[in-house]
Amino acid sequence: MFAFWKYFSGFAAAILISLWLFQIVFLNMFYESMKEGEVTKIGNYLLSEADSKDFEKKLSEYFQVEGTKVQVIDEEGHLIYPLSWIEMMMHPKILKEKEFNEYFDGVKDGEKPYRVFTTQLKNEENPTIIYAGYLGKTQGVDRYLMIQTDLEPVDSAVGILQKLLMIVSIMSLILALILSYFISKKLSGPLVRMSKTAKILGSGNFEVHFSEDDYSEINDLSNTLNYATSELEKTMEMRKDLISNVSHDLKTPLTVIKSYGEMIRDISGNNEEMRNRHIDTIIKEADHLTMLVNDLLDLSKIESDLVEVNYQWEDLSQITSKVMDRFKIFFEQNDYNFNYIVEGNCVIYCDSKRIEQVIYNLVNNAINYSKDEKELTIKIVEKDGKVEFHCIDKGVGIKKEHLKDIWDKFYRERDNHIRPEVGTGLGLYIVKSILEMHGFDYGVNSELGKGSDFYFIADAYKNDNEKLD
Ligand code: ADP
């Protein structure tokens, strides 16, 4: 708030200082040239009227102008006009020859009709502007026009203006100080409030709300901050979820492994069949732990942009077959009905390792979320320059309202897990990140209780397709 006030006051002071400078530097010059212009105008007018009959009358009009002296002289410096009775007899000489030559330099020789200049006369306090012009010959006598204007009125005008400006300056400075105080208070008020709120937010309290104001910019800022707060809150929630999910997911298999280990030591050590069953469980749990750790590693790589991508033209059906080999034994053991449909040329531009991971996660989910309907269809079709990949199951399906959330990090619907120990809530987030990295379209069609169809669509290889990157 103090900073605002300082800037406002500085701004007002800068304007006043420039006004003062302007006045001191330019005003005198401006008045002088204005006065010169005025005198020149009168002089030129009188020169043009020199031959008119009522010239003297016209001359007399300008005697009344305050601070201005209009005189007509002959070439020896004798005054011709205006003359009082006494002066007429005395035939006074008002300019010495030297002065006359100086004043009428150039005019006297007929080089120019007039000249205007500023000089300091001896017995005058202020400088004088002099107009010296040639009026022509009358009755054999050369007549010269001399107009003198004291510059004093200019200075006095400046003096008055300066006083006025001084008063105006002081008043406007005071006004600026007061006004800027209130304006800055009004402007900085919401910002001060915001910074207080932000401090509370910084201390970890997400219940805060950035209040809105009349100014649209501040409004925008508080909306953005409110949005940031809610996002931050979500992230913190997710972090908490992660810790509780991960620690739960780590703890459960570890507990199982430990207790089965103890069981082998204490009970089944000598009973081969029982021991093998217990060891199988330990292996299964260790696998699950490996999966979880792998998912977490993948996630952290994806999030820190450390994934090395190696794009190449690859046959999607070959990638898929490779992944499906890993499920072969599982399908056989569990009586799975697996359909594999490939149509057309399925070459796409991708990183095969990453796409393998996508397909693995999708198939893994299809298995995890199927109950009695053990049927899985993988369909890869080339159509209209695109290659579509579908992973279709007849499992539990997804509620409409959850369709958007399933792609979120750590989102998992615990109640619909057939084997609750398998999920990490990271599978689809990793799928989404990889597909977005490739720029592929993706999505899911699902109906609760009937099954789901997870798909992605990539550009198909064309002969004229060079590298896409
Ligand atoms: P999880 O480790 O829980 O499987 P995912 O990110 O892979 O995490 O999936 C998120 C959620 O999406 C799952 O908890 C599940 O509710 C839902 N889901 C994913 N795939 C399917 C599917 N094929 N059928 C039904 N629901 C699914």
PDB file of all heavy atoms in Angstrom, residues 309-323:
ATOM      1  N   VAL A 309      11.846 -41.917 -25.261  1.00  0.00           N
ATOM      2  CA  VAL A 309      10.947 -42.475 -26.268  1.00  0.00           C
ATOM      3  C   VAL A 309      11.701 -42.717 -27.558  1.00  0.00           C
ATOM      4  O   VAL A 309      12.533 -41.922 -27.972  1.00  0.00           O
ATOM      5  CB  VAL A 309       9.717 -41.562 -26.517  1.00  0.00           C
ATOM      6  CG1 VAL A 309       8.617 -41.871 -25.538  1.00  0.00           C
ATOM      7  CG2 VAL A 309      10.110 -40.123 -26.469  1.00  0.00           C
ATOM      8  N   ASN A 310      11.336 -43.836 -28.148  1.00  0.00           N
ATOM      9  CA  ASN A 310      12.041 -44.267 -29.349  1.00  0.00           C
ATOM     10  C   ASN A 310      10.985 -44.615 -30.396  1.00  0.00           C
ATOM     11  O   ASN A 310      10.500 -45.737 -30.471  1.00  0.00           O
ATOM     12  CB  ASN A 310      12.896 -45.485 -28.959  1.00  0.00           C
ATOM     13  CG  ASN A 310      13.609 -46.055 -30.147  1.00  0.00           C
ATOM     14  OD1 ASN A 310      13.804 -45.374 -31.148  1.00  0.00           O
ATOM     15  ND2 ASN A 310      13.987 -47.325 -30.052  1.00  0.00           N
ATOM     16  N   TYR A 311      10.596 -43.606 -31.169  1.00  0.00           N
ATOM     17  CA  TYR A 311       9.507 -43.807 -32.141  1.00  0.00           C
ATOM     18  C   TYR A 311      10.018 -44.502 -33.392  1.00  0.00           C
ATOM     19  O   TYR A 311      11.073 -44.141 -33.912  1.00  0.00           O
ATOM     20  CB  TYR A 311       8.909 -42.456 -32.538  1.00  0.00           C
ATOM     21  CG  TYR A 311       8.163 -41.768 -31.413  1.00  0.00           C
ATOM     22  CD1 TYR A 311       8.671 -40.632 -30.816  1.00  0.00           C
ATOM     23  CD2 TYR A 311       6.934 -42.252 -30.985  1.00  0.00           C
ATOM     24  CE1 TYR A 311       7.995 -40.001 -29.787  1.00  0.00           C
ATOM     25  CE2 TYR A 311       6.245 -41.632 -29.960  1.00  0.00           C
ATOM     26  CZ  TYR A 311       6.776 -40.513 -29.367  1.00  0.00           C
ATOM     27  OH  TYR A 311       6.102 -39.897 -28.355  1.00  0.00           O
ATOM     28  N   GLN A 312       9.215 -45.498 -33.805  1.00  0.00           N
ATOM     29  CA  GLN A 312       9.540 -46.208 -35.040  1.00  0.00           C
ATOM     30  C   GLN A 312       8.264 -46.722 -35.684  1.00  0.00           C
ATOM     31  O   GLN A 312       7.244 -46.798 -35.016  1.00  0.00           O
ATOM     32  CB  GLN A 312      10.443 -47.401 -34.725  1.00  0.00           C
ATOM     33  CG  GLN A 312      11.880 -47.097 -35.044  1.00  0.00           C
ATOM     34  CD  GLN A 312      12.851 -48.037 -34.383  1.00  0.00           C
ATOM     35  OE1 GLN A 312      12.447 -48.986 -33.721  1.00  0.00           O
ATOM     36  NE2 GLN A 312      14.113 -47.764 -34.572  1.00  0.00           N
ATOM     37  N   TRP A 313       8.330 -47.091 -36.955  1.00  0.00           N
ATOM     38  CA  TRP A 313       7.163 -47.727 -37.582  1.00  0.00           C
ATOM     39  C   TRP A 313       7.097 -49.162 -37.077  1.00  0.00           C
ATOM     40  O   TRP A 313       8.057 -49.906 -37.255  1.00  0.00           O
ATOM     41  CB  TRP A 313       7.273 -47.684 -39.104  1.00  0.00           C
ATOM     42  CG  TRP A 313       7.075 -46.301 -39.624  1.00  0.00           C
ATOM     43  CD1 TRP A 313       8.016 -45.464 -40.108  1.00  0.00           C
ATOM     44  CD2 TRP A 313       5.836 -45.600 -39.681  1.00  0.00           C
ATOM     45  NE1 TRP A 313       7.457 -44.261 -40.456  1.00  0.00           N
ATOM     46  CE2 TRP A 313       6.104 -44.325 -40.202  1.00  0.00           C
ATOM     47  CE3 TRP A 313       4.518 -45.902 -39.330  1.00  0.00           C
ATOM     48  CZ2 TRP A 313       5.134 -43.353 -40.378  1.00  0.00           C
ATOM     49  CZ3 TRP A 313       3.546 -44.926 -39.511  1.00  0.00           C
ATOM     50  CH2 TRP A 313       3.848 -43.677 -40.031  1.00  0.00           C
ATOM     51  N   GLU A 314       5.992 -49.507 -36.402  1.00  0.00           N
ATOM     52  CA  GLU A 314       5.897 -50.839 -35.795  1.00  0.00           C
ATOM     53  C   GLU A 314       4.549 -51.451 -36.155  1.00  0.00           C
ATOM     54  O   GLU A 314       3.550 -50.743 -36.303  1.00  0.00           O
ATOM     55  CB  GLU A 314       5.955 -50.731 -34.257  1.00  0.00           C
ATOM     56  CG  GLU A 314       7.131 -49.972 -33.723  1.00  0.00           C
ATOM     57  CD  GLU A 314       8.342 -50.849 -33.470  1.00  0.00           C
ATOM     58  OE1 GLU A 314       8.247 -52.064 -33.742  1.00  0.00           O
ATOM     59  OE2 GLU A 314       9.367 -50.314 -33.015  1.00  0.00           O
ATOM     60  N   ASP A 315       4.545 -52.793 -36.219  1.00  0.00           N
ATOM     61  CA  ASP A 315       3.293 -53.494 -36.489  1.00  0.00           C
ATOM     62  C   ASP A 315       2.576 -53.707 -35.153  1.00  0.00           C
ATOM     63  O   ASP A 315       3.060 -54.452 -34.297  1.00  0.00           O
ATOM     64  CB  ASP A 315       3.601 -54.833 -37.177  1.00  0.00           C
ATOM     65  CG  ASP A 315       2.328 -55.506 -37.669  1.00  0.00           C
ATOM     66  OD1 ASP A 315       1.257 -55.217 -37.085  1.00  0.00           O
ATOM     67  OD2 ASP A 315       2.410 -56.296 -38.620  1.00  0.00           O
ATOM     68  N   LEU A 316       1.422 -53.078 -35.020  1.00  0.00           N
ATOM     69  CA  LEU A 316       0.708 -53.125 -33.751  1.00  0.00           C
ATOM     70  C   LEU A 316       0.296 -54.564 -33.395  1.00  0.00           C
ATOM     71  O   LEU A 316       0.275 -54.937 -32.214  1.00  0.00           O
ATOM     72  CB  LEU A 316      -0.515 -52.198 -33.809  1.00  0.00           C
ATOM     73  CG  LEU A 316      -1.305 -52.006 -32.541  1.00  0.00           C
ATOM     74  CD1 LEU A 316      -0.433 -51.497 -31.411  1.00  0.00           C
ATOM     75  CD2 LEU A 316      -2.460 -51.029 -32.767  1.00  0.00           C
ATOM     76  N   SER A 317      -0.010 -55.381 -34.435  1.00  0.00           N
ATOM     77  CA  SER A 317      -0.455 -56.757 -34.139  1.00  0.00           C
ATOM     78  C   SER A 317       0.707 -57.575 -33.546  1.00  0.00           C
ATOM     79  O   SER A 317       0.489 -58.423 -32.683  1.00  0.00           O
ATOM     80  CB  SER A 317      -1.015 -57.424 -35.392  1.00  0.00           C
ATOM     81  OG  SER A 317      -0.010 -57.509 -36.364  1.00  0.00           O
ATOM     82  N   GLN A 318       1.940 -57.247 -34.001  1.00  0.00           N
ATOM     83  CA  GLN A 318       3.099 -57.968 -33.440  1.00  0.00           C
ATOM     84  C   GLN A 318       3.331 -57.585 -31.984  1.00  0.00           C
ATOM     85  O   GLN A 318       3.597 -58.432 -31.129  1.00  0.00           O
ATOM     86  CB  GLN A 318       4.348 -57.628 -34.251  1.00  0.00           C
ATOM     87  CG  GLN A 318       4.524 -58.537 -35.434  1.00  0.00           C
ATOM     88  CD  GLN A 318       5.703 -58.122 -36.288  1.00  0.00           C
ATOM     89  OE1 GLN A 318       6.618 -57.454 -35.827  1.00  0.00           O
ATOM     90  NE2 GLN A 318       5.650 -58.517 -37.547  1.00  0.00           N
ATOM     91  N   ILE A 319       3.191 -56.279 -31.717  1.00  0.00           N
ATOM     92  CA  ILE A 319       3.352 -55.817 -30.324  1.00  0.00           C
ATOM     93  C   ILE A 319       2.317 -56.514 -29.451  1.00  0.00           C
ATOM     94  O   ILE A 319       2.616 -57.024 -28.362  1.00  0.00           O
ATOM     95  CB  ILE A 319       3.184 -54.283 -30.219  1.00  0.00           C
ATOM     96  CG1 ILE A 319       4.198 -53.569 -31.110  1.00  0.00           C
ATOM     97  CG2 ILE A 319       3.317 -53.811 -28.776  1.00  0.00           C
ATOM     98  CD1 ILE A 319       4.051 -52.066 -31.147  1.00  0.00           C
ATOM     99  N   THR A 320       1.072 -56.559 -29.963  1.00  0.00           N
ATOM    100  CA  THR A 320      -0.015 -57.151 -29.187  1.00  0.00           C
ATOM    101  C   THR A 320       0.254 -58.641 -28.918  1.00  0.00           C
ATOM    102  O   THR A 320       0.079 -59.116 -27.788  1.00  0.00           O
ATOM    103  CB  THR A 320      -1.361 -56.989 -29.925  1.00  0.00           C
ATOM    104  OG1 THR A 320      -1.467 -55.636 -30.339  1.00  0.00           O
ATOM    105  CG2 THR A 320      -2.536 -57.340 -29.045  1.00  0.00           C
ATOM    106  N   SER A 321       0.696 -59.351 -29.964  1.00  0.00           N
ATOM    107  CA  SER A 321       0.949 -60.794 -29.790  1.00  0.00           C
ATOM    108  C   SER A 321       1.985 -61.022 -28.699  1.00  0.00           C
ATOM    109  O   SER A 321       1.856 -61.943 -27.884  1.00  0.00           O
ATOM    110  CB  SER A 321       1.483 -61.410 -31.088  1.00  0.00           C
ATOM    111  OG  SER A 321       0.553 -61.206 -32.107  1.00  0.00           O
ATOM    112  N   LYS A 322       3.006 -60.158 -28.703  1.00  0.00           N
ATOM    113  CA  LYS A 322       4.059 -60.289 -27.713  1.00  0.00           C
ATOM    114  C   LYS A 322       3.478 -60.155 -26.289  1.00  0.00           C
ATOM    115  O   LYS A 322       3.806 -60.933 -25.383  1.00  0.00           O
ATOM    116  CB  LYS A 322       5.069 -59.167 -27.952  1.00  0.00           C
ATOM    117  CG  LYS A 322       6.477 -59.530 -27.599  1.00  0.00           C
ATOM    118  CD  LYS A 322       7.392 -58.501 -28.214  1.00  0.00           C
ATOM    119  CE  LYS A 322       8.539 -58.172 -27.313  1.00  0.00           C
ATOM    120  NZ  LYS A 322       9.255 -56.986 -27.713  1.00  0.00           N
ATOM    121  N   VAL A 323       2.588 -59.169 -26.123  1.00  0.00           N
ATOM    122  CA  VAL A 323       1.979 -58.959 -24.801  1.00  0.00           C
ATOM    123  C   VAL A 323       1.099 -60.153 -24.446  1.00  0.00           C
ATOM    124  O   VAL A 323       1.137 -60.660 -23.316  1.00  0.00           O
ATOM    125  CB  VAL A 323       1.138 -57.657 -24.776  1.00  0.00           C
ATOM    126  CG1 VAL A 323       0.471 -57.470 -23.424  1.00  0.00           C
ATOM    127  CG2 VAL A 323       2.000 -56.458 -25.125  1.00  0.00           C
TER     128      VAL A 323
END
